Amino acid sequence: HAGFQDAADGASHQALTYFSKTCSIPEVDVYSLTTSEEAAELVGQALDNFAEARKAGKVPHSSIFFLGRETFLPSLEAVGGYTLGKAQVVKDIEGGSDKAVTLVAAGPLLFQALEAAEALQADGYQVAVVNPSVINRPDLETLLPVLEKTNRTLLTIEDHQVVGGMGSLLSQALVQTGKAFKVKCLGVNEEFGRSAYKANQLYAAHGLDAAAIVKASKELV
């Protein structure tokens, strides 16, 4: 499971280093899933790709999938299909505003980002929301056009330590494009987990909930 998604079982069950421990393994693709629909689609595609590679005499990549246990939905409305290795633009914008930001939120934090986007939009901001899906091989082909619409302003959100997390991997990939970006990464800042009844309580405690995303977005913009 992902991050704080086993809150009720306490800190020893909270996987706050799951990206950093798996993303550097050679020939492994790491996914943080948002819905059970995405899980069914991508696991099926991974199995098909694995079988095809073996039949062709190739060594296939392995895939590791993380899915929340508390705050995820069966599906998302109007997001199109799911493709292995591709990010999803869950909420797009037209661009052209000085008050614009792209939110890239991993796994269960996507729903906090969507809630924050609604609040920001009510305050006059344009907000794009992206589900990165694959963590250690950032899909810049999908993300870069969205970032151009928001003046290359990016806020990443994840229930993982900031060190070695999705935000750091994505930031590194963006820097290597040679373009300038304004980036802030929300995550856990060198703290252990703690017991709680629900993961949402820990998101609030660690500044990862919708209210914190709204605040960080306004400061970044």
Side-chain angles (χ1 to χ4, degrees), residues 88-221:
Q88 279 187 316
V89 182
V90 179
K91 184 178 185 301
D92 205 355
I93 61 170
E94 294 182 0
S97 171
D98 291 334
K99 296 171 63 176
V101 62
T102 297
L103 306 179
V104 176
L109 270 298
L110 180 68
F111 306 111
Q112 297 290 333
L114 287 169
E115 184 179 334
E118 290 187 10
L120 287 164
Q121 190 170 338
D123 286 343
Y125 290 79
Q126 288 196 40
V127 186
V129 181
V130 176
N131 165 28
S133 193
V134 63
I135 301 300
N136 60 337
R137 305 183 193 281
D139 176 17
L140 298 186
E141 181 180 359
T142 297
L143 181 58
L144 286 173
V146 179
L147 281 171
E148 291 295 340
K149 296 178 185 178
T150 61
N151 312 310
R152 300 183 191 170
T153 303
L154 169 66
L155 180 68
T156 70
I157 311 103
E158 60 193 308
D159 54 349
H160 185 280
Q161 297 290 343
V162 172
V163 175
M166 178 270 292
S168 63
L169 292 169
L170 180 54
S171 298
Q172 181 185 42
L174 290 172
V175 166
Q176 292 184 18
T177 68
K179 300 178 181 180
F181 296 88
K182 186 187 294 185
V183 181
K184 182 176 179 61
C185 300
L186 296 184
V188 183
N189 290 293
E190 295 192 47
E191 296 181 59
F192 291 105
R194 66 182 82 171
S195 295
Y197 289 108
K198 297 289 184 180
N200 283 343
Q201 294 172 300
L202 295 174
Y203 296 153
H206 288 271
L208 301 174
D209 63 351
I213 295 169
V214 168
K215 181 175 183 292
S217 297
K218 290 181 176 180
E219 291 173 351
L220 184 62
V221 173

